[in-house]
Amino acid sequence: MTAVDGARRLPVPPKPRRPKALALGWALTALVVAVHVVAWDATEVSFGALADGWRGMADFLGEAVPPDLSWQVLGPSLESALVTLWIGLLGTTLSVPFSLALALLAARGTAPSTWAYQAARSVLSFLRAVPDVVFALIFVTAVGLGPFPGVLALVCHNVGVMGKLWAEALEDADPGPSLALRTAGANRVQVAAHALLPSVRPQLAGLLMYRFDVNVRSSLVLGLVGAGGIGFLINQSIKLFKFDEMLTHILVVVVLVVAVDRLSAAVRRRLSEGDHA
């Protein structure tokens, strides 16, 4: 018999209970449940009302199916879908210089001072807090109906979102190369240009493609408020009760969104593979 076999087996001590942690867990659970009850009542959620309205939904779908695939409807739909794509593209690319400048000011490692950091963060928070639809309504009143106010709205909102994402990517970057350049006497601009930005370039490009995907989807909604694109045709079809034309536009939207999503995913995957290579 070995010493291990002859050793006395000691019982496993019970896991100590923490009354305070247990009470806190139950309190948080009760709070979450209470908040959901209040939200349920405030939003008037009723599955009964949804079940009672099945006839209206059936009538709506009956008027929409089959879609009107005549060239008189499909042609303008495809043309407007391209306009929607261009709105999302310009809304993304035109925001790049502003997003990058604010991201460098809003990152702790590249901000020249505390007040510049706080000011940049405040600007990004404001642009991010105002919905792109609100920006679109403002620019529609300024420059009129059409795709241009949609582009301006996406630029403003995207600067806030992408600037924050890029600032966080810069703060999470490997500090080694930047520290080496600072030790060699490089200033902030040189550190950012030659060490920081090259090290996070795949992350920045991936976030840019993600925002392009989101902006194309957002440009559909902006068309509903007069900012051009295929969303404007969908709104017109609904107002004129031409639901078969509306379904045609929606099908075109589905094709457009899937194509942009596949393109964005392929680019992000290629960037990720290049980063790990």
Side-chain angles (χ1 to χ4, degrees):
M1 184 173 62
T2 63
V4 175
D5 295 333
R8 187 178 61 176
R9 295 182 178 181
L10 298 176
V12 178
K15 186 177 180 180
R17 295 184 178 181
R18 299 178 179 179
K20 291 185 179 180
L22 185 61
L24 180 61
W26 280 110
L28 290 176
T29 303
L31 178 62
V32 170
V33 171
V35 169
H36 278 77
V37 170
V38 173
W40 186 284
D41 181 67
T43 54
E44 300 178 358
V45 175
S46 174
F47 292 109
L50 180 62
D52 294 338
W54 71 271
R55 291 185 181 277
M57 291 187 292
D59 293 339
F60 179 81
L61 293 176
E63 295 181 12
V65 178
D68 186 353
L69 298 179
S70 62
W71 185 249
Q72 290 80 3
V73 176
L74 189 58
S77 183
L78 294 174
E79 184 179 352
S80 297
L82 282 177
V83 173
T84 295
L85 179 63
W86 305 146
I87 293 174
L89 177 65
L90 291 178
T92 304
T93 55
L94 293 180
S95 65
V96 167
F98 306 103
S99 300
L100 183 59
L102 287 172
L104 291 172
L105 293 175
R108 296 185 184 276
T110 56
S113 61
T114 303
W115 70 265
Y117 171 82
Q118 295 295 340
R121 285 280 175 169
S122 300
V123 172
L124 292 177
S125 297
F126 170 76
L127 295 176
R128 193 171 63 254
V130 179
D132 46 15
V133 174
V134 175
F135 278 125
L137 290 172
I138 294 174
F139 287 121
V140 163
T141 59
V143 300
L145 300 174
F148 184 44
V151 173
L152 295 175
L154 285 182
V155 168
C156 291
H157 185 72
N158 195 61
V159 166
V161 177
M162 199 159 65
K164 180 178 184 298
L165 294 176
W166 280 3
E168 292 178 350
L170 292 173
E171 290 184 347
D172 293 338
D174 182 11
S178 300
L179 183 60
L181 280 184
R182 288 196 186 96
T183 305
N187 56 35
R188 290 181 179 272
V189 176
Q190 292 171 330
V191 169
H194 299 290
L196 189 57
L197 290 178
S199 66
V200 297
R201 183 169 51 193
Q203 291 88 337
L204 299 186
L207 290 170
L208 177 65
M209 292 304 302
Y210 168 72
R211 286 304 304 171
F212 170 60
D213 184 10
V214 173
N215 286 335
V216 171
R217 301 166 191 258
S218 298
S219 62
L220 302 172
V221 181
L222 299 184
L224 299 177
V225 296
I230 197 170
F232 182 72
L233 293 183
I234 294 176
N235 190 28
Q236 274 190 324
S237 301
I238 293 175
K239 289 182 177 180
L240 297 175
F241 300 101
K242 296 181 179 180
F243 300 119
D244 53 345
E245 295 184 6
M246 176 207 68
L247 183 57
T248 301
H249 303 322
I250 291 177
L251 292 176
V252 173
V253 165
V254 171
V255 174
L256 173 64
V257 169
V258 170
V260 172
D261 181 66
R262 292 291 180 87
L263 174 63
S264 178
V267 173
R268 292 200 302 270
R269 183 169 57 251
R270 189 69 178 270
L271 291 172
S272 178
E273 293 174 355
D275 188 29
H276 294 298

